[in-house]
């Protein structure tokens, strides 16, 4: 059950993130232009941007397809999600620690400068993916359809909260 929630949460978050970066030429151009602020050398900017979008789409596809296809795509998707969220957490941490002024374009256009709360958000996603992988490997054996639907619904609600994280954080703690 935990793995189902993790699969849905991570899959939706990665899908929304990837789509928001490529939904228009200007969105993609803004994303590519934001990459150097993360400490990525200029010669690697375009490659890093492409690899980020490809990794997000591929991981989201594996995760969301695994809801219908089963165990191995979920294992592969969660393992990739751990890698993707690990890299994203590291580059955000680097940008925040250097006070680079990097802007969060995680879910499309934004003017929010990265802060410690973004590291926490990414670390949370990394932990969810890792917990889902562990649960899938050792713990989860729930086959009750109602429980699985509930876990998927909780994952979907969690994904909405993650995607709207900046808005919620601004509401509670004020702008960065």
């Amino acid at each position: 059950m935990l793995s189902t929630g993790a699969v849905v949460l991570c899959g939706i978050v990665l899908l929304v993130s990837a789509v928001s970066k490529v939904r228009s030429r200007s969105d993609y151009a803004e994303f590519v232009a934001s990459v150097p602020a993360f400490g990525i050398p200029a010669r690697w900017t375009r490659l890093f941007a492409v690899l980020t979008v490809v990794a997000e789409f591929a991981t989201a596809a594996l995760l969301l397809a695994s809801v219908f296809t089963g165990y191995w795509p979920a294992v592969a998707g969660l393992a990739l999600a751990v890698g993707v969220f690990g890299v994203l957490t590291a580059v955000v941490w680097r940008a925040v620690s250097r006070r680079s002024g990097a802007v969060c374009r995680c879910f499309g256009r934004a003017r929010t400068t990265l802060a410690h709360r973004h590291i926490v958000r990414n670390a949370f996603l990394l932990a969810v993916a890792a917990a889902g992988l562990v649960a899938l490997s050792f713990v989860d054996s729930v086959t009750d359809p109602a429980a699985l639907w509930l876990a998927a619904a909780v994952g979907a609600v969690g994904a909405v909260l993650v995607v709207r994280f900046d808005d919620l954080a601004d509401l509670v703690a004020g702008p960065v």
Side-chain angles (χ1 to χ4, degrees):
M1 203 162 81
L2 174 63
S3 62
T4 301
V7 160
V8 171
L9 187 146
C10 294
I12 292 172
V13 165
L14 288 166
L15 182 62
V16 170
S17 180
V19 167
S20 71
K21 289 176 178 79
V22 299
R23 68 180 161 213
S24 72
R25 283 180 180 240
S26 63
D27 286 335
Y28 185 69
E30 287 178 16
F31 169 61
V32 172
S34 74
V35 170
F38 290 91
I40 306 300
R43 68 178 183 271
W44 299 106
T45 297
R46 291 203 180 278
L47 179 61
F48 183 84
V50 167
L51 290 176
T52 299
V53 172
V54 168
E56 288 176 342
F57 269 124
T59 306
L62 271 171
L63 289 169
L64 296 175
S66 75
V67 171
F68 305 103
T69 59
Y71 181 77
W72 288 111
V75 169
L78 286 170
L80 282 172
V82 167
V84 169
F85 291 134
V87 168
L88 295 176
T89 301
V91 297
V92 169
W93 173 80
R94 183 177 180 185
V96 171
S97 67
R98 289 181 168 198
R99 294 190 170 114
S100 70
V103 175
C104 181
R105 299 223 187 271
C106 307
F107 302 107
R109 294 181 182 174
R111 294 184 186 358
T112 304
T113 303
L114 290 171
H116 287 94
R117 67 187 188 193
H118 295 97
I119 299 168
V120 171
R121 178 200 58 203
N122 286 6
F124 166 76
L125 289 168
L126 175 59
V128 167
L133 189 57
V134 168
L136 192 61
S137 301
F138 298 110
V139 182
D140 267 359
S141 60
V142 175
T143 57
D144 178 29
L148 295 175
W149 278 105
L150 178 61
V154 169
V157 170
V160 170
L161 294 174
V162 168
V163 169
R164 303 309 308 178
F165 174 79
D166 277 332
D167 296 330
L168 294 170
D170 287 349
L171 192 66
V172 173
V176 173

